[in-house]
Amino acid sequence: MLGTKRTLPKGFLESIVENICTYGIPALLAIGGFEAYEGVLQLVEVHGHYEELHHHVNNIPGTDFSLGFNTALNATMERCDRIKQSASGTKHHVFIVETMGGYCGYLAMVTGIAVGADAAYIFEDLFNIHELKANVEHMMEKMKTDMQRGLVLWNEKCHDHYTTEFLYNLYSSESKAIFDCRTNVLGHLQQGGIPTPSDRNYGTKLGVKAMLWVLGKLHEVYHKRWVSANAPHSACVIDLKKAVAFSPVTELKKDTDLEHRMQWEQWWLSLRPMLKMLAHYCISMTA
């Protein structure tokens, strides 16, 4: 537990190299979020300028399923269920819930499917005022049925101008007094808590896999008193996909949106139609 802040190594390379030499560090296992990946990438990209950095083996968890997501999803789902439960004794309430996740809408969308949300607005699926209006009209029609409460999820950075406050004002204004709106910003309530069994098991598996991989690479590149590790596979991300795998950080760069801190292509967007089906929109299976 180093207590470090989100500071990338680019401006401190001389100090990093000095410490590597001072303490004889042969390998580096970076555990963290996007900064960990970007930090490792910066170290790899300056291999040619610092011979000492050729002695590094780097790897971090991430990709399709990041460690801790399952715990955050459970926390978000639990709070949304509580919000829906609190509304069960009243009618004509629409709750607008803002989730965390940066520019990545995975948490908002998967939670939406799990709790039966009426809509989940995310950065990856562009929307406009016409779609927002259609959602409000759909909500008004829903209020005429036995299900007289609504839940809308809103990813924190899904739009520069259509904010949580804007959405609240829009739904409130267009509801024509048929329903009233409430907002709930979950914020850091989604973080921390007790890790789920899935995350605990994945954490153990990743730790073992990572250390075995690091040791194996050190044995491959060890030459008497030094380690020479400057090949692409000497700096990898440990992936959670269909199976645990290792991908060179340099190869992942072309697939990464560094500005928005996520992958360019999101496999889970194919699940979007399922959300609308559960909310009783008229949509086909091939949409």
Side-chain angles (χ1 to χ4, degrees), residues 210-235:
M211 289 310 303
L212 290 176
W213 184 84
V214 168
L215 291 173
K217 286 295 178 182
L218 286 174
H219 283 299
E220 287 179 16
V221 299
Y222 181 74
H223 300 286
K224 294 183 179 179
R225 291 188 176 182
W226 71 89
V227 172
S228 178
N230 56 359
H233 280 82
S234 69

Side-chain angles (χ1 to χ4, degrees), residues 65-127:
F65 297 98
S66 60
L67 190 63
F69 168 76
N70 188 259
T71 301
L73 174 61
N74 274 263
T76 309
M77 183 184 67
E78 179 187 359
R79 282 157 178 81
C80 287
D81 282 341
R82 288 185 180 183
I83 290 172
K84 290 179 65 177
Q85 185 178 13
S86 70
S88 62
T90 58
K91 295 182 179 181
H92 307 107
H93 280 326
V94 173
F95 289 87
I96 299 169
V97 179
E98 179 183 310
T99 68
M100 294 183 72
Y103 289 98
C104 182
Y106 186 32
L107 185 62
M109 199 203 70
V110 177
T111 300
I113 293 175
V115 302
D118 296 282
Y121 298 103
I122 60 174
F123 175 79
E124 295 89 343
D125 193 3
L126 296 178
F127 56 91

